[in-house]
Amino acid sequence: MRLVMLGLPGAGKGTQADLLAKELGIPRISTGDMFREALQSDTELGRQVKEYVERGELVPDSLTVALVEQRLSQPDARDGFILDGFPRTVPQAEALRDTLAAAGKPIDAAVFIDVDQEEAIRRIAGRRVCSQCGATYGAGAPEVEAGRCSQCGGPLVQRPDDTEETARRRLQVYMDQTHPVVEFYRAENRLVTVDGGRDVPEVLADILESLRPFGLDGRAGDAP
Ligand code: AP5
């Protein structure tokens, strides 16, 4: 399947995209992760996006679209992918539609994880990530208490753009520039909306069920 994850910052897109990627056997492609990796390794891309990411602003469309197109051309994305954090503007959605139409492989569905703003802020404030492997943990997880990643033992830190001030800016940017993307996919009859205010496994089950009419006919390996 070719899927897009939509929702407020902190809605749980990355959490669900990771689980779906395992369930469906297709890669999760996160533009946020790609930018953070570039920042950490101080590449030319990292230098280009630094100011935007740190301020909670969007990276320019031209840069982001080129990065995603390059990533989608990799062999592991041939049989499907989950885009997490892209598209984030209507021009990005249009560019993606045109690229995939040229290949005859359109997006199957866009999953909108619906949470309210205060819950999103609460989740962002509680989030800790492993500084070594990037694993994400939410408030209340034993790893957050211990300050250590249970997957690799690395120290947990707060994302630099997870301060309350930057998170509020990201929410505003979302309302101005990304929410119209939800309407873009609704108009294309490809939108699936799930209540993201519930526990992680419940949200996942709802997403899987909601994707059935869009071509999900079972678990990974069941697809023809
Ligand atoms: P990006 O990394 O995409 O950030 P985001 O959209 O703001 O999303 P988040 O990663 O904050 O949240 P999420 O929805 O993935 O939630 P998560 O699963 O972690 O982008 C960062 C920056 O990069 C942007 O600001 C921009 O500068 C740039 N950028 C990226 N893409 C771009 C693009 N296309 N164009 C231009 N610029 C771009 O969950 C949050 C927390 O809640 C976690 O701690 C998690 O454990 C917990 N949690 C998850 N689900 C639940 C649940 N059901 N119940 C309780 N807790 C939960």
Side-chain angles (χ1 to χ4, degrees), residues 18-30:
D18 257 347
L19 296 169
L20 282 169
K22 288 191 186 101
E23 188 82 16
L24 305 178
I26 50 178
R28 164 189 170 225
I29 298 175
S30 157

Side-chain angles (χ1 to χ4, degrees), residues 8-16 30-33 35-36 52-53 56-59 64 84-88 92 119 122-124 126-128 136-139 159 161-162 170 196 198-200 203:
L8 285 173
K13 302 181 295 295
T15 301
Q16 295 297 333
S30 157
T31 41
D33 280 359
F35 291 143
R36 278 185 291 279
Y52 299 104
V53 174
E57 306 285 343
L58 295 185
V59 173
T64 311
D84 166 13
F86 182 94
R88 238 179 165 97
Q92 288 182 13
E119 175 65 9
R122 197 186 66 75
R123 289 184 187 178
I124 288 173
R127 172 168 52 194
R128 295 294 180 273
T136 298
Y137 300 96
R159 254 170 59 173
D161 61 345
D162 276 354
R170 284 159 57 205
R198 295 162 300 163
D199 288 347
V200 171
V203 178

Side-chain angles (χ1 to χ4, degrees), residues 100-141:
L100 296 179
K105 291 180 168 184
I107 288 295
D108 293 302
V111 178
F112 173 48
I113 303 180
D114 194 12
V115 298
D116 65 45
Q117 293 212 6
E118 289 315 309
E119 175 65 9
I121 292 276
R122 197 186 66 75
R123 289 184 187 178
I124 288 173
R127 172 168 52 194
R128 295 294 180 273
V129 294
C130 175
S131 56
Q132 281 180 190
C133 74
T136 298
Y137 300 96

Side-chain angles (χ1 to χ4, degrees), residues 15-21 23 194-195 198-211 219:
T15 301
Q16 295 297 333
D18 257 347
L19 296 169
L20 282 169
E23 188 82 16
V194 296
D195 172 6
R198 295 162 300 163
D199 288 347
V200 171
E202 286 177 70
V203 178
L204 177 65
D206 195 1
I207 293 174
L208 289 169
E209 192 55 36
S210 305
L211 286 176
R219 300 292 189 262

Side-chain angles (χ1 to χ4, degrees), residues 61-93:
D61 286 342
S62 54
L63 198 59
T64 311
V65 168
L67 184 75
V68 171
E69 287 184 350
Q70 201 278 333
R71 178 64 186 86
L72 290 181
S73 69
Q74 301 298 305
D76 67 334
R78 202 179 39 212
D79 296 329
F81 50 78
I82 302 169
L83 284 169
D84 166 13
F86 182 94
R88 238 179 165 97
T89 63
V90 170
Q92 288 182 13

